[in-house]
Amino acid sequence: MWLPENVIVESNGYVVKMLSKDDPRGYFLGELTNCCQSIWSAGGSCAISGMEQDDKGFLVILDGEEILAQSWIWTDRKGHIVLDSIESKGLSKVQMERASKALLAWAKKAVDTIFCDGVYLGKTSYGITKEMRKLLVKVSIPFNRVMVCKLKTIKKGGRDEPIRKVSIPFNRVMVCKPPIF
């Protein structure tokens, strides 16, 4: 499956899109976002594969031309889009809230555009992943057909109550899944 290079979202003053394979910053994103994904660091193989393989790349959150945050992204054998982690040199609470809303809008558009089974976010605590996951859960609650985490429910007092402790394939948390028609 190919990555959604044509999916670009402008939201809350930020742009979320795939970094072009022609953009040399992809080889040293780790230097820009305080992580290991640079060709001369521990995540060098990720930097190279993200720039040179069709089923891998980098999703970036931009403020103008500045990369605020990025994620090494790939597609798995089941057709899922996977964001490994979300890395940034540090965002304020307001910036993180704006970025999470923009990321969720991108995930929804990506699912609608390429009809993949879902967009997943790694369960790691690297970078700002853990904080973004909490915000994504918060901002997606109003959308019945878009989930940030895979939930099971039980009947409690005549209504469905979510149970958050569920087994999730590939140790990933679902950020967005396509509507079921």
Side-chain angles (χ1 to χ4, degrees):
M1 173 180 253
W2 56 276
L3 287 170
E5 293 179 4
N6 60 335
V7 176
I8 299 171
V9 169
E10 294 184 41
S11 175
N12 295 301
Y14 295 151
V15 173
V16 182
K17 67 178 190 170
M18 295 296 299
L19 186 68
S20 168
K21 301 276 187 186
D22 297 331
D23 191 330
R25 293 181 293 179
Y27 288 104
F28 60 93
L29 279 171
E31 300 299 312
L32 302 174
T33 59
N34 200 29
C35 79
C36 66
Q37 294 169 358
S38 293
I39 56 173
W40 46 80
S41 296
S45 62
C46 296
I48 292 167
S49 70
M51 292 301 291
E52 298 179 1
Q53 294 179 16
D54 291 338
D55 63 340
K56 296 176 183 69
F58 293 101
L59 185 69
V60 292
I61 300 174
L62 302 167
D63 185 2
E65 288 297 313
E66 180 186 2
I67 296 174
L68 294 179
Q70 60 89 10
S71 180
W72 181 49
I73 181 173
W74 72 91
T75 56
D76 67 15
R77 292 181 303 237
K78 293 189 177 189
H80 304 120
I81 296 173
V82 180
L83 283 70
D84 177 65
S85 62
I86 303 171
E87 308 283 349
S88 173
K89 278 215 175 184
L91 299 178
S92 70
K93 184 177 179 179
V94 171
Q95 287 175 311
M96 210 170 306
E97 287 173 359
R98 288 172 54 200
S100 68
K101 289 176 183 175
L103 180 59
L104 186 63
W106 180 89
K108 288 167 44 178
K109 188 172 180 180
V111 166
D112 290 343
T113 301
I114 67 169
F115 306 107
C116 69
D117 187 39
V119 175
Y120 292 78
L121 174 59
K123 285 182 84 174
T124 180
S125 59
Y126 289 127
I128 59 172
T129 309
K130 187 176 180 181
E131 294 87 354
M132 287 290 279
R133 187 180 312 107
K134 288 177 185 174
L135 288 168
L136 288 167
V137 169
K138 201 183 284 187
V139 299
S140 73
I141 288 171
F143 305 106
N144 287 337
R145 298 187 310 178
V146 176
M147 298 186 322
V148 171
C149 56
K150 196 170 187 174
L151 299 177
K152 286 187 178 180
T153 59
I154 58 169
K155 288 282 186 198
K156 201 175 199 181
R159 61 187 176 140
D160 287 338
E161 289 288 327
I163 303 171
R164 293 205 182 260
K165 297 228 178 208
V166 296
S167 162
I168 299 174
F170 307 109
N171 200 27
R172 298 189 186 119
V173 173
M174 183 175 282
V175 174
C176 179
K177 79 173 195 175
I180 299 169
F181 297 101

